[in-house]
Amino acid sequence: MKEIAARHSIRKYKAEAVNKDDINKILEAGILAPSAKNRQPWKFIVVEGDKKAEALDVMEKGLERSREELKEMPGMDALISDAFNTLSIMREAPVVIFVENSNGKIPFVDININDRITEICDSLSIGAAIQNMLLTATELGYGTLWIANTVYAYQELVQCLGISGQLICAVALGVPDETPDPRPRKSFDEVVEFR
Ligand SMILES: Cc1cc2nc3c(=O)[nH]c(=O)nc-3n(C[C@H](O)[C@H](O)[C@H](O)COP(=O)(O)O)c2cc1C
């Protein structure tokens, strides 16, 4: 409960590197998560330094493509601006972990019901792995940001990272350079129903 309450999305990081043993502990925590049919559909691609800069330059090109392609869609401007903001946070964080669903496929095509159920279960399993990682990082004194804005640079990132499954998201990791106030939560009564 301590780490659950202490974890907040961190959007400012110190330049300090993250110790390799700590990165490994965080990844091990992810690997210990439950998964549907024990498929363990996750794959983690950890990038730092030049490799991180390379991936994020590619992400920037993807965001520019999405800004152009989706400009007529209502509300897209704000979403793409938010994705560029996320990109600048990723540039500041010393470590970025891209997370792949190794059973997944590109999310922009129709799939049959069975494949959809499998994909939902695999996404849930990966969510459990990520939360384990965020909590372990919190325990070790690091800050994290869970990032889905990678979706606006999907094709570019998949190609650059050599992902053959589905790119799910990224996690930024580093020593926090802010102590944000907790974001509001819906009240207990709003979200819980006892029957
Ligand atoms: C699946 C998922 C995707 C997210 N994607 C982003 C993102 O791309 N950029 C960002 O700044 N925050 C992102 N967040 C962080 C949320 O905005 C944040 O968790 C939420 O506002 C609650 O704040 P807290 O994490 O500090 O409790 C994401 C969170 C989740 C769970």
Side-chain angles (χ1 to χ4, degrees), residues 7-9 11 86 145-149 183 185:
R7 185 214 55 81
H8 304 298
S9 290
R11 296 186 173 84
T86 299
L145 181 65
W146 189 332
I147 295 159
N149 273 327
R183 299 288 316 275
R185 291 296 188 264

Side-chain angles (χ1 to χ4, degrees), residues 128-162:
I130 293 171
Q131 182 68 354
N132 276 7
M133 291 161 65
L134 304 193
L135 295 177
T136 303
T138 305
E139 185 189 9
L140 295 171
Y142 297 106
T144 53
L145 181 65
W146 189 332
I147 295 159
N149 273 327
T150 45
V151 73
Y152 297 112
Y154 188 90
Q155 294 90 322
E156 289 81 359
L157 283 171
V158 159
Q159 202 196 5
C160 160
L161 298 166

Side-chain angles (χ1 to χ4, degrees), residues 7 26-27 29-34 42-44 97-100 122-138 144-148 168-172:
R7 185 214 55 81
I26 290 164
L27 293 165
I31 290 167
L32 288 177
W42 41 69
K43 190 147 181 244
F44 305 103
I97 305 172
F98 288 97
V99 186
E100 172 184 356
D122 286 341
S123 304
L124 290 168
S125 309
I126 288 170
I130 293 171
Q131 182 68 354
N132 276 7
M133 291 161 65
L134 304 193
L135 295 177
T136 303
T138 305
T144 53
L145 181 65
W146 189 332
I147 295 159
I168 296 283
C169 65
V171 174

Side-chain angles (χ1 to χ4, degrees), residues 28-41:
E28 293 286 354
I31 290 167
L32 288 177
S35 66
K37 301 245 189 334
N38 201 19
R39 275 196 295 271
Q40 305 172 58

